[in-house]
């Protein structure tokens, strides 16, 4: 579905750059500016800095004089207006409206889904004019704190772009770390034998009555899904326990002095 973001009478160049950045992060690139304050806003230093590298969106953006030009080819128009009005299109939360628009979940689907959608954002100082809101099919209201609903223009674009991208299917989460490699069963078994020796050495495990200590530890480590590095750490702990365990005392051996020796049996033979 073709998607366009339209900024009307934008007064701050930085917000144009922030909008380009917000759009690019969500995979959109059709940006149109209606009569912005600065004619060269797409090339201003603040715009470029705030875009944080979304230069392709800025290079692809267009500046027009009227909203009619910006809406050319767009079927479904979404205003972003927080100010209550006595007359105008229905006000809906973005996610609820997008679900209805695309027929997601249990939301009632629009009879004929549009082929294109435009999101309109008004001036930072005045918001959207009534006549511009009246042209739209819906007024999207981002759920905010009722006592403080003020949003920066770039932040508002980011929220709408995110909700719309999620409704369209979203992007897969990019993992910041590689999937961990798990230790094999032989490594876990070797580590458990090492721990059994160490626990016996410190007197925690009685080999004569081990009960179910080692099987329980086996289950614990299986649930932990240990990596080879973690096996190495645990074996290091077992090694340290054994190193710091005093050796078992040698069995006491009884020694006898000469006086402790039993007397020789008496000679009972007859004298010659």
């Amino acid at each position: 579905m073709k998607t366009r973001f339209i900024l009307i009478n934008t007064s701050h160049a930085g917000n144009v750059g922030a909008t380009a950045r917000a759009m690019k992060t969500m995979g959109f690139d059709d940006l149109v500016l209606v009569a912005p304050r600065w004619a060269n806003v797409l090339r201003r230093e603040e715009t470029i800095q705030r875009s944080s590298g979304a230069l392709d969106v800025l290079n692809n953006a267009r500046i027009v004089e009227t909203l009619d030009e910006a809406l050319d080819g767009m079927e479904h128009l979404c205003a972003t207006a927080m100010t209550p009005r006595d007359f105008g299109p229905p006000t809906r939360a973005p996610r609820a409206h997008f679900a209805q628009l695309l027929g997601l979940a249990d939301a009632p689907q629009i009879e004929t889904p549009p082929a294109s959608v435009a999101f309109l954002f008004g001036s930072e100082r005045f918001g959207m004019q009534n006549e511009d809101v009246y042209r739209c099919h819906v007024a999207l209201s981002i759920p905010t704190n009722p006592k403080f609903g003020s949003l920066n223009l770039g932040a508002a674009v980011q929220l709408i772009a995110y909700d719309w991208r999620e409704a369209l299917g979203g992007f897969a989460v990019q993992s910041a770390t590689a999937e961990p490699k798990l230790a094999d069963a032989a490594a876990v078994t070797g580590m458990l034998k090492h721990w059994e020796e160490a626990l016996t050495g410190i007197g925690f495990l009685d080999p004569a009555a081990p009960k179910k200590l080692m099987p329980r530890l086996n289950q614990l480590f299986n649930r932990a899904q240990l990596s080879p590095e973690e096996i190495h750490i645990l074996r290091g702990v077992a090694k340290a326990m054994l190193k710091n365990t005093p050796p078992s005392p040698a069995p006491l051996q009884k020694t006898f002095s000469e006086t402790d020796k039993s007397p020789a049996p008496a000679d009972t033979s007859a004298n010659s």
Side-chain angles (χ1 to χ4, degrees):
M1 188 177 295
K2 185 176 182 180
T3 300
R4 179 175 297 167
F5 286 80
I6 300 173
L7 305 185
I8 305 171
N9 303 134
T10 308
S11 59
H12 296 286
N15 284 332
V16 176
T19 293
R21 178 182 183 180
M23 290 173 56
K24 186 175 178 64
T25 60
M26 294 297 110
F28 303 113
D29 60 6
D30 190 352
L31 172 62
V32 179
L33 309 179
V34 179
R37 177 184 178 185
W38 309 97
N40 66 339
V41 66
L42 297 174
R43 300 185 301 277
R44 292 180 69 87
E45 185 64 25
E46 185 181 1
T47 305
I48 294 171
Q49 289 181 353
R50 290 287 300 277
S51 73
S52 297
L55 299 180
D56 53 339
V57 177
L58 293 179
N59 291 334
N60 189 55
R62 296 181 293 117
I63 296 179
V64 297
E65 291 298 322
T66 66
L67 183 56
D68 284 333
E69 295 173 85
L71 296 178
D72 183 43
M74 294 290 103
E75 293 184 16
H76 190 77
L77 310 182
C78 300
T80 52
M82 297 290 294
T83 305
R85 290 171 169 79
D86 294 332
F87 174 78
T91 300
R92 296 195 181 101
R95 293 183 186 181
H97 182 65
F98 297 159
Q100 180 180 2
L101 195 64
L102 299 174
L104 304 177
D106 297 327
Q109 187 175 6
I110 293 178
E111 184 174 349
T112 304
S116 57
V117 174
F119 299 107
L120 285 65
F121 297 83
S123 166
E124 298 94 328
R125 293 176 293 176
F126 308 115
M128 290 188 63
Q129 301 295 320
N130 284 340
E131 56 268 27
D132 294 338
V133 175
Y134 297 157
R135 300 181 63 172
C136 296
H137 298 88
V138 65
L140 298 179
S141 179
I142 298 171
T144 57
N145 180 354
K147 296 181 180 179
F148 190 77
S150 176
L151 279 170
N152 170 267
L153 176 57
V157 172
Q158 185 72 81
L159 290 171
I160 295 294
Y162 172 77
D163 278 351
W164 181 231
R165 173 54 65 191
E166 286 294 290
L168 292 174
F171 293 122
V173 174
Q174 303 296 316
S175 178
T177 57
E179 289 296 321
K181 179 181 178 182
L182 299 183
D184 58 27
V188 175
T189 299
M191 181 272 296
L192 283 168
K193 289 181 179 178
H194 202 169
W195 266 71
E196 183 174 11
E197 181 183 357
L199 293 174
T200 301
I202 64 174
F204 189 83
L205 173 64
D206 181 3
K211 298 184 180 179
K212 294 182 179 179
L213 175 61
M214 296 314 298
R216 289 187 184 281
L217 286 178
N218 198 157
Q219 290 295 305
L220 170 64
F221 290 132
N222 282 346
R223 289 197 302 273
Q225 295 186 310
L226 301 172
S227 67
E229 292 79 9
E230 291 164 340
I231 289 287
H232 184 72
I233 292 171
L234 289 170
R235 296 200 71 153
V237 173
K239 182 179 179 180
M241 286 193 291
L242 288 168
K243 182 179 179 181
N244 291 280
T245 300
S248 301
L252 294 177
Q253 295 182 355
K254 187 175 181 180
T255 59
F256 299 94
S257 64
E258 291 297 327
T259 57
D260 291 331
K261 292 181 180 180
S262 301
D267 188 0
T268 58
S269 61
N271 293 330
S272 56

